[in-house]
Coordinates of all heavy atoms in Angstrom, one line a residue:
E129 N -5.4 39.4 -6.3 CA -5.5 38.0 -5.7 C -4.3 37.6 -5.1 O -4.3 37.0 -4.0 CB -5.9 37.1 -6.9 CG -7.3 37.1 -7.3 CD -7.6 36.2 -8.5 OE1 -6.9 35.2 -8.6 OE2 -8.5 36.6 -9.3
A130 N -3.1 37.9 -5.7 CA -1.8 37.5 -5.1 C -1.6 38.1 -3.8 O -1.3 37.5 -2.8 CB -0.7 37.8 -6.1
L131 N -1.9 39.4 -3.7 CA -1.7 40.2 -2.5 C -2.7 39.7 -1.4 O -2.2 39.5 -0.2 CB -2.0 41.7 -2.8 CG -1.6 42.6 -1.6 CD1 0.0 42.5 -1.4 CD2 -1.9 44.1 -1.9
A132 N -3.9 39.4 -1.7 CA -4.8 38.9 -0.7 C -4.4 37.6 -0.1 O -4.4 37.3 1.1 CB -6.2 38.7 -1.4
Y133 N -3.9 36.7 -1.0 CA -3.4 35.4 -0.6 C -2.2 35.6 0.3 O -2.1 35.0 1.4 CB -3.0 34.6 -1.8 CG -2.4 33.2 -1.6 CD1 -3.3 32.2 -1.1 CD2 -1.1 32.9 -1.7 CE1 -2.8 30.9 -0.9 CE2 -0.6 31.7 -1.5 CZ -1.4 30.7 -1.1 OH -0.9 29.4 -0.8
V134 N -1.2 36.4 -0.1 CA 0.0 36.6 0.7 C -0.3 37.2 2.1 O 0.2 36.8 3.1 CB 1.0 37.4 -0.1 CG1 2.2 37.9 0.8 CG2 1.5 36.7 -1.3
S135 N -1.3 38.2 2.1 CA -1.7 38.9 3.3 C -2.2 37.9 4.4 O -2.0 38.2 5.6 CB -2.8 39.9 3.1 OG -2.4 40.7 2.0
A136 N -2.8 36.9 3.9 CA -3.5 36.0 4.9 C -2.6 34.8 5.3 O -3.0 34.0 6.1 CB -4.7 35.3 4.2
R137 N -1.3 34.9 4.9 CA -0.4 33.8 5.3 C 0.8 34.3 6.1 O 1.1 35.5 6.1 CB 0.1 33.1 4.0 CG -1.0 32.3 3.3 CD -0.6 32.0 1.9 NE 0.8 31.6 1.9 CZ 1.3 30.4 2.0 NH1 0.5 29.4 2.3 NH2 2.6 30.2 2.0
P138 N 1.5 33.4 6.8 CA 2.6 33.8 7.6 C 3.8 34.3 6.7 O 3.9 34.0 5.6 CB 3.0 32.5 8.3 CG 2.5 31.4 7.6 CD 1.3 31.9 6.8
F139 N 4.6 35.2 7.3 CA 5.8 35.7 6.7 C 7.0 35.0 7.3 O 6.9 34.5 8.4 CB 6.0 37.2 6.8 CG 5.0 37.9 5.9 CD1 3.7 38.3 6.3 CD2 5.4 38.3 4.6 CE1 2.9 38.9 5.5 CE2 4.6 38.9 3.8 CZ 3.3 39.2 4.2
P140 N 8.2 34.9 6.6 CA 8.4 35.4 5.2 C 7.6 34.7 4.1 O 7.3 33.6 4.3 CB 9.9 35.2 5.0 CG 10.4 34.2 6.0 CD 9.4 34.2 7.1
A141 N 7.3 35.5 3.1 CA 6.7 35.0 1.9 C 7.7 34.8 0.8 O 8.5 35.6 0.5 CB 5.5 35.9 1.5
V142 N 7.6 33.7 0.1 CA 8.5 33.4 -1.0 C 7.7 33.7 -2.3 O 6.7 33.0 -2.7 CB 9.0 31.9 -1.0 CG1 9.9 31.7 -2.2 CG2 9.6 31.6 0.3
L143 N 8.2 34.6 -3.1 CA 7.5 35.1 -4.4 C 8.5 34.8 -5.5 O 9.6 35.3 -5.5 CB 7.2 36.6 -4.3 CG 6.5 37.0 -3.0 CD1 6.4 38.6 -3.0 CD2 5.2 36.4 -2.9
K144 N 8.0 34.1 -6.5 CA 8.9 33.7 -7.6 C 8.3 34.1 -9.0 O 7.2 33.6 -9.3 CB 9.3 32.2 -7.6 CG 9.9 31.8 -6.4 CD 10.4 30.3 -6.5 CE 11.2 29.9 -5.3 NZ 11.7 28.5 -5.3
Y145 N 9.0 34.9 -9.7 CA 8.5 35.2 -11.0 C 8.6 34.0 -11.9 O 9.6 33.3 -11.9 CB 9.4 36.4 -11.6 CG 9.0 36.7 -13.0 CD1 7.8 37.4 -13.3 CD2 9.8 36.3 -14.1 CE1 7.4 37.6 -14.6 CE2 9.4 36.6 -15.4 CZ 8.2 37.2 -15.7 OH 7.8 37.5 -16.9
D146 N 7.6 33.8 -12.8 CA 7.5 32.6 -13.6 C 8.2 32.8 -14.9 O 7.5 32.9 -15.9 CB 6.0 32.2 -13.8 CG 5.9 30.9 -14.6 OD1 6.8 30.0 -14.4 OD2 5.0 30.8 -15.4
G147 N 9.5 32.8 -14.9 CA 10.2 33.0 -16.2 C 11.7 33.2 -15.9 O 12.0 33.4 -14.7
L148 N 12.5 33.3 -16.9 CA 13.9 33.5 -16.7 C 14.0 35.0 -16.3 O 13.5 35.9 -17.0 CB 14.7 33.2 -17.9 CG 14.9 31.8 -18.3 CD1 15.6 31.6 -19.6 CD2 15.5 31.0 -17.2
A149 N 14.7 35.3 -15.1 CA 14.8 36.6 -14.6 C 16.2 36.9 -14.2 O 16.4 37.7 -13.3 CB 13.8 36.9 -13.5
A150 N 17.2 36.2 -14.8 CA 18.6 36.4 -14.5 C 18.9 36.4 -13.0 O 19.6 37.2 -12.5 CB 19.1 37.8 -15.1
G151 N 18.3 35.5 -12.3 CA 18.5 35.3 -10.9 C 17.9 36.3 -10.0 O 18.0 36.3 -8.8
K152 N 17.1 37.2 -10.6 CA 16.5 38.3 -9.8 C 15.0 38.1 -9.5 O 14.3 38.9 -9.0 CB 16.7 39.7 -10.4 CG 18.2 40.0 -10.6 CD 18.4 41.5 -10.9 CE 19.9 41.8 -10.9 NZ 20.5 41.4 -12.2
G153 N 14.5 36.9 -10.0 CA 13.1 36.7 -9.9 C 12.5 36.1 -8.7 O 11.3 35.8 -8.6
V154 N 13.4 35.9 -7.7 CA 12.9 35.4 -6.4 C 13.1 36.4 -5.3 O 14.1 37.0 -5.1 CB 13.7 34.1 -6.0 CG1 13.3 33.6 -4.7 CG2 13.6 33.0 -7.1
V155 N 11.9 36.7 -4.6 CA 12.0 37.6 -3.5 C 11.5 36.9 -2.2 O 10.4 36.3 -2.2 CB 11.1 38.8 -3.8 CG1 11.0 39.7 -2.5 CG2 11.6 39.6 -5.0
I156 N 12.3 36.9 -1.2 CA 11.8 36.4 0.1 C 11.4 37.7 0.9 O 12.2 38.4 1.4 CB 12.9 35.7 0.9 CG1 13.7 34.7 -0.1 CG2 12.4 35.0 2.1 CD1 13.1 33.4 -0.3
A157 N 10.1 37.9 1.0 CA 9.6 39.1 1.6 C 9.3 38.9 3.1 O 8.6 38.0 3.5 CB 8.3 39.6 0.9
S158 N 10.0 39.8 3.9 CA 9.8 39.5 5.3 C 8.5 40.1 5.9 O 8.1 39.8 7.0 CB 11.1 40.0 6.1 OG 11.4 41.3 5.6
D159 N 7.9 41.1 5.2 CA 6.7 41.7 5.7 C 5.8 42.0 4.5 O 6.2 41.9 3.3 CB 6.9 42.9 6.6 CG 7.8 43.9 5.9 OD1 7.6 44.1 4.6 OD2 8.6 44.6 6.5
L160 N 4.6 42.5 4.8 CA 3.6 42.8 3.8 C 4.0 43.9 2.8 O 3.8 43.8 1.6 CB 2.3 43.2 4.4 CG 1.1 43.4 3.5 CD1 0.8 42.1 2.7 CD2 -0.2 43.7 4.3
E161 N 4.7 44.9 3.4 CA 5.2 46.0 2.5 C 6.1 45.5 1.4 O 6.0 45.9 0.3 CB 5.8 47.1 3.4 CG 5.7 48.5 3.0 CD 4.4 48.7 2.1 OE1 3.3 48.5 2.6 OE2 4.6 49.1 1.0
E162 N 7.1 44.7 1.8 CA 8.1 44.1 0.9 C 7.4 43.3 -0.2 O 7.7 43.3 -1.4 CB 9.1 43.3 1.7 CG 10.5 43.7 1.5 CD 11.4 42.7 2.2 OE1 11.5 42.8 3.5 OE2 12.0 41.8 1.6
A163 N 6.4 42.5 0.3 CA 5.6 41.6 -0.6 C 4.9 42.4 -1.6 O 4.8 42.2 -2.8 CB 4.7 40.7 0.2
R164 N 4.2 43.5 -1.1 CA 3.4 44.4 -2.0 C 4.3 45.0 -3.1 O 3.9 45.0 -4.2 CB 2.8 45.5 -1.1 CG 1.7 46.3 -1.8 CD 1.4 47.6 -1.0 NE 1.1 47.4 0.4 CZ -0.1 47.2 0.9 NH1 -1.1 47.1 0.1 NH2 -0.3 47.1 2.2
K165 N 5.5 45.4 -2.7 CA 6.3 46.0 -3.7 C 6.8 45.0 -4.7 O 6.8 45.3 -5.9 CB 7.6 46.6 -3.0 CG 8.4 47.5 -3.9 CD 9.7 48.0 -3.2 CE 10.6 48.6 -4.3 NZ 10.8 47.7 -5.4
A166 N 7.2 43.8 -4.3 CA 7.7 42.8 -5.2 C 6.6 42.4 -6.1 O 6.8 42.2 -7.4 CB 8.2 41.6 -4.4
L167 N 5.3 42.2 -5.6 CA 4.2 41.8 -6.5 C 3.9 42.9 -7.5 O 3.6 42.6 -8.6 CB 3.0 41.4 -5.6 CG 3.1 40.1 -4.8 CD1 1.9 40.0 -3.8 CD2 3.2 38.9 -5.7
A168 N 4.0 44.1 -7.0 CA 3.7 45.2 -8.0 C 4.8 45.3 -9.1 O 4.4 45.4 -10.3 CB 3.7 46.6 -7.2

Side-chain angles (χ1 to χ4, degrees):
E129 281 175 28
L131 190 64
Y133 178 74
V134 169
S135 311
R137 289 165 40 89
F139 284 90
V142 180
L143 313 172
K144 300 187 175 184
Y145 175 73
D146 182 37
L148 291 176
K152 299 194 175 80
V154 176
V155 174
I156 314 279
S158 46
D159 56 36
L160 186 58
E161 213 24 64
E162 235 182 284
R164 193 195 305 273
K165 189 181 169 311
L167 289 172

